[in-house]
Amino acid sequence: MKRLRWLDRAGLVVIVALAALSLIILIVPALIVFAISFDTRQYVSFPPTGFTVGWYEAILDQRQIVGAFLTSFKVAGLVTAICIALGLPAALAAVRGRFPGASAVGVFVMAPHTIPGIVLGVAVLFAGASAGFPASTAMLIIALSCFFLALVTRLTMAQLTGLDPALERASLNLGASRLRTFARITLPQLLPALFAGAAFTFIEAFDNVSVAMFTHSYRERPLPVELLSMVETDNSPLVAAISGVEILLACAILIVGALTLGLERFSGPQR
């Protein structure tokens, strides 16, 4: 027993240490970039020697950057809407379906997400070229929708698996239609999972570069592609300021979701 307790404590220490190391690796670089965006110098350097918001003001003066931001916002919004519209029925079919191969729906939806983004981008580009469909904003939206559909579907499937079917049966027994039961009983319980999937899909689609660099329209470049081009030619903190805007946008989406829907309600399947 003593040996098992020692192993449990050692395992807990390892888990905490790995979690702390992971947070440091993920968060500290973002904090450094955020700090650089307020530097007064004309080149990227750390630590900052002064404080200014001038680089954020300079973003508004760059018409190309503003256009790229609007393009990414449009693409991410449409991709999120498509993934919600397709992911919810796909999750319902995979969990509640009674047709042959229902269990394969989840696997089929997950397939594109298991492919590296660069490979998917190249594949979509070649497939579009073969069909006479050149790189464009529409191609980018389609490619990203295929790539991130799994996020919404899998999160919704996990939440749907944990729902109590007795609530739906009670609603049906009291005379409600299946559509009304879904709208009043099932859908409200799925909202945390849907929002979580939509939030991560929007953030990832807004910031995706591996797929966007092969499928975007050359007249409407999304922000990640524009930012990648700037990194190669611009050594000013303007690049860090653009990255800071993306960081703030991601944080704002998650904070709004936590305050309105309460993402802590999403706990996956319950046993």
Side-chain angles (χ1 to χ4, degrees):
M1 292 295 295
K2 291 183 178 179
R3 185 176 181 181
L4 290 177
R5 291 177 181 176
W6 181 86
L7 289 175
D8 290 341
R9 292 176 181 175
L12 180 61
V13 170
V14 172
I15 292 174
V16 172
L18 290 176
L21 180 62
S22 300
L23 288 175
I24 292 173
I25 293 175
L26 292 173
I27 295 177
V28 170
L31 294 178
I32 292 175
V33 170
F34 199 65
I36 292 173
S37 67
F38 295 102
D39 197 357
T40 55
R41 288 174 291 189
Q42 300 294 317
Y43 54 91
V44 173
S45 183
F46 186 82
T49 58
F51 180 85
T52 180
V53 295
W55 296 112
Y56 287 91
E57 296 174 352
I59 294 177
L60 299 177
D61 297 330
Q62 302 289 329
R63 182 177 300 178
Q64 194 169 357
I65 296 175
V66 174
F69 179 87
L70 294 177
T71 298
S72 288
F73 195 87
K74 176 181 68 175
V75 169
L78 290 174
V79 169
T80 302
I82 292 172
C83 288
I84 291 293
L86 298 179
L88 178 57
L92 290 170
V95 176
R96 301 285 179 84
R98 295 293 181 268
F99 56 90
S103 58
V105 173
V107 178
F108 175 78
V109 172
M110 281 292 294
H113 202 64
T114 61
I115 303 173
I118 293 180
V119 176
L120 180 64
V122 173
V124 172
L125 178 63
F126 286 172
S130 300
F133 186 34
S136 61
T137 302
M139 178 182 286
L140 174 60
I141 292 172
I142 293 172
L144 291 178
S145 298
C146 294
F147 195 56
F148 294 118
L149 178 61
L151 286 176
V152 176
T153 304
R154 296 302 295 182
L155 287 174
T156 307
M157 286 175 61
Q159 186 78 348
L160 192 60
T161 303
L163 298 186
D164 186 0
L167 297 175
E168 298 175 46
R169 288 197 297 266
S171 176
L172 294 172
N173 291 336
L174 291 173
S177 64
R178 290 189 176 275
L179 181 60
R180 186 177 179 85
T181 298
F182 175 78
R184 299 295 296 272
I185 304 298
T186 307
L187 186 59
Q189 298 181 81
L190 295 178
L191 284 181
L194 288 173
F195 184 88
F200 287 116
T201 298
F202 184 91
I203 294 170
E204 292 290 336
F206 187 91
D207 196 38
N208 182 275
V209 67
S210 58
V211 175
M213 65 188 300
F214 294 103
T215 58
H216 73 278
S217 169
Y218 291 96
R219 293 184 178 181
E220 292 184 306
R221 294 207 298 186
L223 188 60
V225 177
E226 188 67 35
L227 188 59
L228 180 63
S229 177
M230 288 184 62
V231 169
E232 298 175 352
T233 59
D234 193 336
N235 192 36
S236 71
L238 181 62
V239 175
I242 299 172
S243 302
V245 172
E246 294 189 67
I247 293 171
L248 292 175
L249 177 63
C251 292
I253 292 173
L254 296 178
I255 290 172
V256 169
L259 293 178
T260 55
L261 288 177
L263 296 183
E264 69 277 358
R265 291 169 52 196
F266 174 65
S267 56
Q270 300 172 357
R271 302 288 182 183

